Structures are given as C-alpha cells and as structure tokens.
Amino acid sequence: MNIGNVREFLASINPNDLDNIDMRMIQKMGEGVASFAPQLSVNMKQELKDFYCEVLNNSFFDIKQAEYNPNIVMEGTLQVSSLDTAHIREVINDIESEDNYVGDMEEVDLNNLNYYSFKFTQDNQSLYIFRRFTKMKKIRNGILGIFQDNSFKKLEAKKFFGIDRDIDIIIFEDQVLIVNRFALQTIFKLNDYFIERTTLALEKLDQGEVIENFNDFQKDCINDKMAARRMTKIINTPRRIEDFLEHIDQLPTVIQQFDLEIELSEENKIKYNGTKEARSQILYCISDAYYQSFILQRLGEDPS
C-alpha cells in the first residue's frame, strides 16, 4: 500500500461535501452485525479529517511492508493483504447493508459495541479506517468532568465515547494494511477464512491420493489452528500443492535426510498416524519447507 497516496487522499477530503465522511459503530450479532451511523457535523468532520491526517503522518506508517503471512510476522514490517483475507470484503458489505443499519442512536449500548470504522470518500474512491472499541470502563465507572467557571462540573459518562490514536486496519485501493493482526479476528472473520482456505487445500490434496486415512488427516488439520494457518499459506502460494504432488517421488529422500516421523506404505503413500508431529511434518513437506544450504550443506527448515 502506498502510504503517501493514502495521506494525499485524506488531505483532499472536503468536510463540507455531503456523505464524504461516514462513521459506523458496530455490534456483532451472531453471524451478522448491527451498524449504527451517527450524524456528523461539518465541524466534527473537519476534526476527524485533521485528526487522522496527523495520525497517518507518523513515521510508523513508513516502515517496510510485507505480504501477509498467516504463520509468522516479519519483525519491523507492516503486512499487506487483499480484501479476501478474513472475509474483509464481506464484512464491509455487511456494515454498509441497509438491512443491518440502525438509525436510532438511542439504541446504542456502548458495552456491546465491538469496533468502529470511518469511511472517507472522494471521486468514487474510499479509504477505510477500522479500530476495535475500547470500552474505557475505568472512566465510565468513575466521575468524568470539566473545569468551567472556576468549578469542576460532572459530565454524563454513560454515553461517553472515545476515539484514540490507534488504528488497527487501513483499507485503500483494494489493499489492506494490517497494523494489528489481532483485529483480523476481532473485527473480521479470520477463523472462517482459515477453515475455508484449508478445506480448499485439502480438496486439492485429496485428489492426489497420496495420504492414507485421509479423512483423519482432513479433520485434524481443520481442528488444529496451527495446521489451518499453514494450510492457508500453502493454498495461497501458487502451484504449491500441484508441485508437491508432481515431485512426490522425492519424499522418501526428505524423510530419510531429516529423520521425519512420516511413514510410507508399500504404494509410497503417506501413512498418517494422527500425531501432531507427523501432521506438522507432512505440512512442512507440502510447503517445501525442508532445505539444504549451498555452502555448508546444512539441513534446515523454513518456519514461514
């Protein structure tokens, strides 16, 4: 994601234009959402624009970007993905659907809100900013007040809503900048995404008929979060499964060199024994994670 383009786009927003800044407060409701859309005055729009322009000008957003990897985080990077990750596109459609719109802000229960978002729109282009909602219970359960006319006066805290400087997810030009990976689950549908991608990977693998008692392997991969993340990375890598199946004859050599727990049948099929270690090693083989270095001829494995 070109963060410079994001900054320029946000700076170009005119707060006087109608419907160019949209705020949503979201409550998850089972598989759906309730989407509250408070009205914003021109002054508040200007405040929000200035606020996020200042936040995004922080040098933090200039650090190196890397493609989203469900298995590991590369230190010192922000990760970028498509809107298909964690069903982000689907969630945005849910938020903006008229069926999920709640017009009466009196129905908002701040204790039930999960996150909020801002959509900045100009010339048919949109910038989304997502942030998990911090309930601020200590403030809400205390006494909130202001100094006025040399006195300290209490403010009603039950409806107190705070917007902090943290951003979890930025969406612009069909790209997702993941500032907080945890938000992929709390805001979007990461587990559903992993299961869907894992199921697709397993279907392709099943067609190769290289694993005995495949049904057990399939069930264990779907129920094992670590395995599902690795399967997602495998299916998201073009031709990774196809290449594994085409070079399955190399598997006995890998098993021997790396002393793997994997056993092969007389037909050269993988005999899955149901252990977590064997499952992990099979996935490492599929993802071509075992290697030998050129200079020292050192054997190793790539955790990514």
Side-chain angles (χ1 to χ4, degrees):
M1 180 181 291
N2 189 319
I3 198 65
N5 289 348
V6 174
R7 289 164 174 159
E8 289 179 10
F9 175 79
L10 188 55
S12 72
I13 296 293
N14 184 355
N16 292 295
D17 290 346
L18 188 65
D19 298 330
N20 62 341
I21 301 180
D22 177 68
M23 178 181 181
R24 295 297 173 112
M25 303 159 66
I26 308 300
Q27 178 182 343
K28 289 185 175 182
M29 308 281 289
E31 293 298 314
V33 297
S35 180
F36 298 88
Q39 295 182 1
L40 302 174
S41 67
V42 173
N43 287 340
M44 177 54 76
K45 288 182 178 182
Q46 184 68 56
E47 290 277 355
L48 288 167
K49 173 191 170 180
D50 294 343
F51 176 75
Y52 280 112
C53 278
E54 181 182 349
V55 171
L56 289 172
N57 277 330
N58 191 297
S59 60
F60 168 80
F61 293 98
D62 293 312
I63 65 177
K64 183 180 178 182
Q65 297 178 10
E67 183 180 354
Y68 169 66
N69 186 331
N71 296 320
I72 62 171
V73 180
M74 187 180 297
E75 195 88 12
T77 66
L78 292 176
Q79 295 194 319
V80 181
S81 78
S82 72
L83 272 70
D84 294 326
T85 300
H87 297 297
I88 292 175
R89 195 188 308 274
E90 176 186 318
V91 172
I92 290 176
N93 290 336
D94 286 343
I95 292 171
E96 298 182 344
S97 171
E98 287 295 324
D99 293 338
N100 299 323
Y101 173 73
V102 182
D104 187 0
M105 292 303 299
E106 291 298 319
E107 295 185 26
V108 173
D109 184 346
L110 296 181
N111 290 316
N112 293 329
L113 287 183
N114 298 101
Y115 60 93
Y116 59 88
S117 68
F118 290 99
K119 178 183 179 183
F120 300 86
T121 305
Q122 184 95 348
D123 299 328
N124 296 319
Q125 195 171 28
S126 297
L127 164 69
Y128 292 87
I129 292 175
F130 285 86
R131 172 64 175 149
R132 291 168 299 140
F133 178 53
T134 304
K135 295 182 171 55
M136 302 180 183
K137 290 183 178 180
K138 288 184 178 180
I139 294 177
R140 207 178 305 283
N141 293 331
I143 297 176
L144 187 68
I146 60 171
F147 293 104
Q148 189 176 55
D149 299 328
N150 220 28
S151 300
F152 178 69
K153 297 185 177 180
K154 180 181 177 182
L155 292 178
E156 177 56 55
K158 290 184 179 180
K159 293 291 183 180
F160 178 77
F161 186 90
I163 299 171
D164 59 30
R165 298 179 64 85
D166 291 331
I167 293 174
D168 290 326
I169 300 287
I170 297 173
I171 300 173
F172 186 65
E173 295 180 334
D174 287 328
Q175 282 189 307
V176 181
L177 187 67
I178 305 167
V179 183
N180 186 332
R181 284 168 63 99
F182 185 60
L184 289 176
Q185 177 58 41
T186 56
I187 295 177
F188 302 104
K189 300 178 180 179
L190 189 60
N191 284 342
D192 291 349
Y193 172 73
F194 284 156
I195 292 173
E196 176 189 274
R197 300 302 289 169
T198 298
T199 301
L200 179 60
L202 288 164
E203 288 174 357
K204 284 192 171 188
L205 196 60
D206 189 23
Q207 293 171 7
E209 298 182 341
V210 294
I211 301 178
E212 292 186 351
N213 49 321
F214 184 83
N215 288 339
D216 292 338
F217 180 74
Q218 181 180 46
K219 180 185 65 176
D220 290 346
C221 283
I222 291 175
N223 292 328
D224 181 345
K225 290 184 179 180
M226 290 291 291
R229 286 202 291 268
R230 182 160 293 279
M231 269 295 190
T232 298
K233 179 64 165 55
I234 289 171
I235 193 64
N236 287 349
T237 303
R239 285 199 53 82
R240 183 51 52 85
I241 293 178
E242 291 83 353
D243 287 342
F244 168 74
L245 295 175
E246 289 175 9
H247 297 85
I248 193 68
D249 58 306
Q250 298 295 322
L251 189 55
T253 301
V254 175
I255 293 172
Q256 182 180 13
Q257 285 189 328
F258 288 87
D259 192 24
L260 302 183
E261 188 178 309
I262 301 172
E263 295 183 38
L264 298 178
S265 68
E266 293 180 359
E267 293 80 21
N268 228 27
K269 291 186 177 183
I270 297 171
K271 297 169 65 175
Y272 176 58
N273 62 19
T275 68
K276 188 171 185 178
E277 182 66 19
R279 183 163 62 251
S280 177
Q281 290 177 358
I282 292 169
L283 294 178
Y284 266 57
C285 288
I286 297 171
S287 60
D288 193 27
Y290 296 110
Y291 65 87
Q292 185 173 19
S293 65
F294 279 104
I295 296 178
L296 300 180
Q297 298 295 294
R298 179 175 57 86
L299 299 177
E301 56 187 47
D302 180 5
S304 65

